[in-house]
């Protein structure tokens, strides 16, 4: 293995893996870039057909993210393992009168796509990407390997290189280091980039359940003042629950015995979901919002959770990161074609201007959702129920919501526009 690369990507998770595949794929603009991915831990292998319960960590993969996976050749590795498409999304106000209880249904055909998205285990997404990058001649995967520290070398007034030291003591150099190393990013911390964080007063409980009926092609989302509750379809008879509430209630729900927990779930979701037969796993997480003050530094760029964390109520977190990966890959490949320095601030600013605004806007929208469904006075509740009903009845509003849900709104990277060409 050479020890100099165009790009070193610290973190081969869902976002870092996608970035490396997009940089090293033969299908982008110009020649592939040489890339080294450092990943601290390889996920357990996944054997289709012999994995009983779904993993507890799943993501709602948007159409835009699916297109990015298709464009780099990683989508087959996802569907050959396990993925569940959803074509419809039912949203209802748990406080509204009986007449609006059925809520609003959004459908994929309104935006002309076969599915609004897929629910996929995080492990499956990461494994499909690792398989893909291991096939690319211009990408080297070092796993297990951790970035320990780095140093930017200067030549005159200019910074020309970055030297990255691994925990093994080995040193590699590159024109650019990308931090795709998650919410506790070492790259961000060492670059001195601050990321103010505010913790919501809610926690999220996640669980995998089995239902008597096989899963349908629909996600169920119930909004109540204490926080949303969602049931996402998995393949076969399983579904993934996400339930937001304050810490005390989440602790109580986590400690209920299985029968009492099932009773609470069946009271919250419509009978169309079918009786809940089993609860496989339960876990809970704190919820926070955080946006990095900058996405770039000297020969450094950040992507994914390393530079933003949003409220997970709309399942947007990893999808924003995947769009970061698509946008950064496009920016760097275009810069290389134009014979520009891929690690120069001028190049990196293009990426930052593109993605920082889009991510900040999404964080604000999700904050607004969170506040609109927090405990409120009767007139606000009435306005909220009316807004939800109007969004369901007025065709352009329905279409816009479906576009956001499928990740097709905003300034998309070229790879996410069609999924099969750039
Ligand atoms: C309760 C909950 C539910 C969620 N639901 C959804 C959802 O439905 N849809 C959605 O889009 N998002 C969801 N999210 C958010 C989503 O999980 C994150 O946005 C996503 O994991 C971020 O991906 P990432 O690749 O940026 O970071 P990570 O997944 O954190 O990956 C970082 C990678 O870097 C590696 N690493 C770390 N440090 C180093 C180092 N020093 N050297 C080498 N490697 C390193 C790690 O091993 C890891 O593989 C949810 C989050 C929570 C808490």
């Amino acid at each position: 293995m050479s020890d100099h690369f165009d790009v070193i990507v610290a973190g081969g998770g869902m976002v870092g893996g996608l970035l490396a595949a997009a940089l090293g794929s033969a299908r982008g603009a110009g020649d592939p870039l040489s890339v080294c991915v450092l990943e601290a831990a390889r996920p357990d292998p996944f054997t289709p057909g012999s994995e009983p319960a779904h993993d507890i960590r799943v993501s709602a993969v948007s159409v835009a993210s699916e297109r990015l996976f298709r464009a780099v050749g990683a989508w087959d590795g996802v569907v050959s393992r396990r993925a569940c498409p959803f074509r419809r999304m039912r949203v209802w106000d748990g406080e509204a009168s009986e007449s609006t209880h059925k809520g609003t249904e959004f459908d994929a055909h309104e935006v002309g796509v076969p599915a609004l998205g897929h629910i996929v285990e995080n492990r499956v997404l990461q494994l499909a990407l690792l398989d893909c990058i291991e096939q690319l001649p211009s990408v080297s995967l070092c796993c297990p390997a951790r970035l320990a520290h780095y140093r930017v070398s200067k030549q005159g007034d200019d910074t020309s290189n970055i030297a990255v030291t691994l925990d093994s003591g080995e040193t590699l150099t590159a024109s650019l280091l990308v931090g795709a190393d998650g919410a506790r990013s070492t790259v961000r911390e060492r670059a001195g980039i601050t990321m103010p964080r505010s913790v919501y007063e809610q926690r999220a409980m996640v669980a995998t359940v089995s239902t008597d009926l096989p899963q349908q092609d629909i996600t169920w989302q119930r909004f109540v003042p204490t926080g949303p509750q969602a049931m996402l379809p998995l393949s076969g008879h399983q579904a993934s629950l996400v339930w937001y509430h304050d810490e005390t209630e989440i602790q109580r729900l986590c400690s209920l015995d299985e029968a009492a927990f099932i009773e609470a779930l069946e009271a919250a979701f419509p009978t169309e979901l079918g009786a809940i037969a089993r609860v496989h796993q339960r876990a809970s997480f704190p919820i926070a919002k955080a946006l990095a003050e900058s996405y770039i530094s000297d020969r450094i760029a950040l992507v994914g959770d390393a530079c933003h964390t949003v409220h997970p109520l709309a399942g947007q977190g990893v999808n924003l990161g995947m769009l970061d990966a698509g946008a950064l890959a496009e920016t760097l490949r275009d810069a290389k074609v134009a014979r520009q320095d891929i690690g120069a601030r001028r190049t990196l600013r293009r990426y930052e201007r593109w993605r920082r605004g889009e991510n900040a806007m999404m964080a604000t929208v999700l904050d607004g959702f969170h506040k609109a469904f927090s405990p409120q006075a009767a007139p606000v509740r009435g306005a909220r129920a009316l807004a939800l009903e109007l969004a369901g009845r007025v065709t352009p509003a329905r279409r816009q919501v479906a576009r956001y849900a499928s990740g097709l709104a905003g300034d998309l990277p070229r790879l996410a526009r069609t999924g099969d060409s750039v």
Side-chain angles (χ1 to χ4, degrees):
M1 181 174 88
S2 148
D3 57 6
H4 182 83
F5 298 88
D6 289 323
V7 182
I8 294 174
V9 180
M14 296 180 283
V15 173
L18 180 63
L19 172 67
L23 290 170
S25 158
R27 286 196 256 176
D31 290 333
L33 274 67
S34 63
V35 182
C36 180
V37 181
L38 310 176
E39 171 50 48
R42 186 181 271 276
D44 291 338
F46 183 101
T47 316
S50 63
E51 301 270 337
H54 287 69
D55 291 354
I56 200 160
R57 298 220 62 178
V58 301
S59 295
V61 178
S62 71
V63 176
S65 297
E66 174 194 333
R67 287 179 177 176
L68 289 168
F69 269 66
R70 280 188 193 280
V72 302
W75 189 246
D76 285 350
V78 172
V79 288
S80 65
R81 286 182 169 93
R82 193 155 62 184
C84 181
F86 60 93
R87 294 176 184 83
R88 296 175 294 145
M89 192 172 86
R90 171 114 37 110
V91 179
W92 72 101
D93 186 337
E95 278 210 318
S97 66
E98 251 332 278
S99 62
T100 52
H101 184 256
K102 278 206 172 296
T104 301
E105 213 168 280
F106 300 93
D107 199 303
H109 74 72
E110 298 189 72
V111 272
V113 289
L116 286 171
H118 287 72
I119 309 298
V120 191
E121 289 146 278
N122 290 1
R123 177 167 57 120
V124 165
L125 293 167
Q126 192 184 5
L127 285 170
L129 289 165
L130 295 180
D131 283 354
C132 173
I133 59 182
E134 281 176 316
Q135 302 298 316
L136 295 172
S138 60
V139 182
S140 305
L141 173 65
C142 297
C143 180
R146 293 190 71 86
L147 170 142
H149 55 87
Y150 65 82
R151 186 174 41 80
V152 178
S153 61
K154 298 223 173 215
Q155 269 182 6
D157 286 342
D158 197 16
T159 60
S160 63
N161 235 332
I162 188 152
V164 171
T165 305
L166 314 192
D167 52 0
S168 61
E170 190 182 350
T171 298
L172 308 171
T173 59
S175 302
L176 175 69
L177 168 65
V178 179
D181 48 350
R184 294 187 184 157
S185 167
T186 306
V187 175
R188 183 190 70 231
E189 194 187 298
R190 289 192 172 260
I193 298 173
T194 50
M195 182 149 130
R197 187 168 185 268
S198 50
V199 179
Y200 290 100
E201 67 284 6
Q202 287 174 343
R203 271 181 92 80
M205 179 183 63
V206 287
T208 309
V209 302
S210 286
T211 51
D212 281 351
L213 297 177
Q215 285 308 298
Q216 305 152 33
D217 60 353
I218 185 166
T219 65
W220 309 97
Q221 281 153 282
R222 175 182 189 241
F223 283 87
V224 284
T226 49
Q229 297 147 1
M231 194 67 89
L232 311 173
L234 299 171
S235 47
H237 285 253
Q238 291 182 14
S240 173
L241 167 85
V242 194
W243 188 298
Y244 300 88
H245 210 298
D246 61 45
E247 186 154 1
T248 315
E249 177 62 5
I250 292 294
Q251 265 175 15
R252 189 189 73 82
L253 286 168
C254 282
S255 63
L256 285 180
D257 66 32
E258 193 177 13
F261 186 61
I262 288 176
E263 204 177 304
L265 299 190
E266 287 183 345
F269 291 99
T271 48
E272 290 134 283
L273 182 67
I276 293 169
R278 276 209 59 195
V279 178
H280 298 277
Q281 297 174 69
R282 277 175 262 181
S284 79
F285 306 91
I287 305 294
K289 178 176 104 172
L291 294 168
E293 283 183 340
S294 170
Y295 281 20
I296 61 170
S297 181
D298 285 345
R299 298 207 170 264
I300 299 283
L302 302 175
V303 287
D305 276 24
C307 52
H308 47 78
T309 307
V310 297
H311 196 301
L313 93 171
Q316 290 294 323
V318 80
N319 292 300
L320 298 180
M322 288 175 181
L323 291 175
D324 294 347
L328 182 59
E330 182 175 318
T331 307
L332 299 180
R333 290 187 75 144
D334 286 352
K336 191 157 184 195
V337 168
R339 296 177 183 280
Q340 293 164 352
D341 177 358
I342 59 165
R345 283 227 176 215
R346 203 159 56 101
T347 307
L348 301 179
R349 266 201 208 103
R350 265 180 248 146
Y351 158 71
E352 183 182 48
R353 274 198 298 271
W354 185 354
R355 290 304 305 160
R356 196 161 174 269
E358 298 254 342
N359 291 334
M361 191 188 72
M362 183 56 81
T364 307
V365 168
L366 295 174
D367 236 6
F369 261 126
H370 168 72
K371 288 192 183 118
F373 286 92
S374 298
Q376 272 154 351
V380 181
R381 291 206 307 266
R384 182 182 70 201
L386 183 67
L388 202 57
E389 208 181 325
L390 281 178
R393 284 196 190 166
V394 181
T395 307
R398 293 175 63 83
R399 204 170 285 141
Q400 197 53 22
V401 173
R403 278 177 67 74
Y404 269 104
S406 53
L408 296 175
D411 185 4
L412 296 178
R414 284 201 292 275
L415 283 172
R417 288 185 213 144
T418 61
D420 51 20
S421 65
V422 283

